[in-house]
Amino acid sequence: MKLENTRILLTGGSGRLGQHLIPLLEKVDGIDLSTPTSKQWDITLPKYPDFLFTWHPEIIIHAGAYTNVPEAQRASNNLLVYETNVVGSERIKHFADLVGAKVVYISTDYAENPDRKNIYTQTKLEGEKFADMVIRTSFKDRGTWGENALKKVFHPVYTNADWTDIIASKVLVAIKKFNSGIIRVGTEPKTLLDLARQEYSEGKLSLLRRQIGY
């Protein structure tokens, strides 16, 4: 997908991934980038902001979503999660069709093996059908475990997740390389312990392994 000299709209620019995508996109030659806040464009509402029709995008990277997984499971939040991740995605696709834009949807790698009881996963999976290109990925912010690292359980389950800044770079490469379909973005399989090893000294990790018997 050609990014140079195009008008690109990014939703979720204040989110974890969005904050890393913005500086990368700004380095693309000739790009005209817009990153409206949720106040400027509430994607759960049927009305589209006027500025989108005077400056209409050619590509919409839809990274905006309700991503707090534990809170999403609360019955009181279920409607908001659905409106944001499903209805919002549908409205973005409808607007994209009006102006002839392509939609790149940032999904979750959990969509590959969805848990029917997980509201977040189910709504992200349903939102995929409103995109031209779907990127399934997972990421963690550096410092995720922080001072409480030794209280966390780094169980021996393999993941393709990586740090958010690394995944953001790979997401941009994937968008440039493909035009449509479902694309998996990640790095080599590793355990969370492997990922933690990049941040903590071997001494701390040895203590951690003794505490959890791993």
Side-chain angles (χ1 to χ4, degrees), residues 1-11 25 28-36 51-61 95-96 98-104 175:
M1 190 178 294
K2 180 180 178 294
L3 298 183
E4 291 78 11
N5 301 308
T6 58
R7 294 182 298 278
I8 298 179
L9 186 146
L10 170 69
T11 68
L25 287 166
V28 178
D29 290 341
I31 194 172
D32 189 357
L33 178 66
S34 177
T35 59
F51 80 89
L52 290 178
F53 290 99
T54 55
W55 175 94
H56 59 78
E58 296 166 85
I59 298 170
I60 300 176
I61 302 176
F95 169 75
L98 290 176
V99 299
K102 287 228 173 197
V103 177
V104 177
I175 295 173

Side-chain angles (χ1 to χ4, degrees), residues 15-17 19-20 139-146 162-165 195 199:
R16 293 160 56 205
L17 183 66
Q19 292 180 63
H20 288 280
F139 44 85
K140 292 188 177 295
D141 292 335
R142 295 182 187 274
T144 290
W145 296 288
D162 214 307
W163 305 121
T164 312
D165 56 306
L195 197 58
E199 288 200 316

Side-chain angles (χ1 to χ4, degrees), residues 193-205:
L193 185 61
D194 293 329
L195 197 58
R197 186 175 284 115
Q198 298 176 20
E199 288 200 316
Y200 300 104
S201 67
E202 192 57 39
K204 282 187 176 181
L205 288 171

Side-chain angles (χ1 to χ4, degrees), residues 128-165:
E128 289 185 356
K129 65 186 180 184
F130 303 112
D132 299 290
M133 176 180 173
V134 173
I135 294 179
R136 289 179 176 172
T137 191
S138 182
F139 44 85
K140 292 188 177 295
D141 292 335
R142 295 182 187 274
T144 290
W145 296 288
E147 295 299 321
N148 296 316
L150 300 184
K151 297 179 181 178
K152 304 295 182 180
V153 178
F154 295 92
H155 50 83
V157 173
Y158 280 83
T159 177
N160 289 100
D162 214 307
W163 305 121
T164 312
D165 56 306

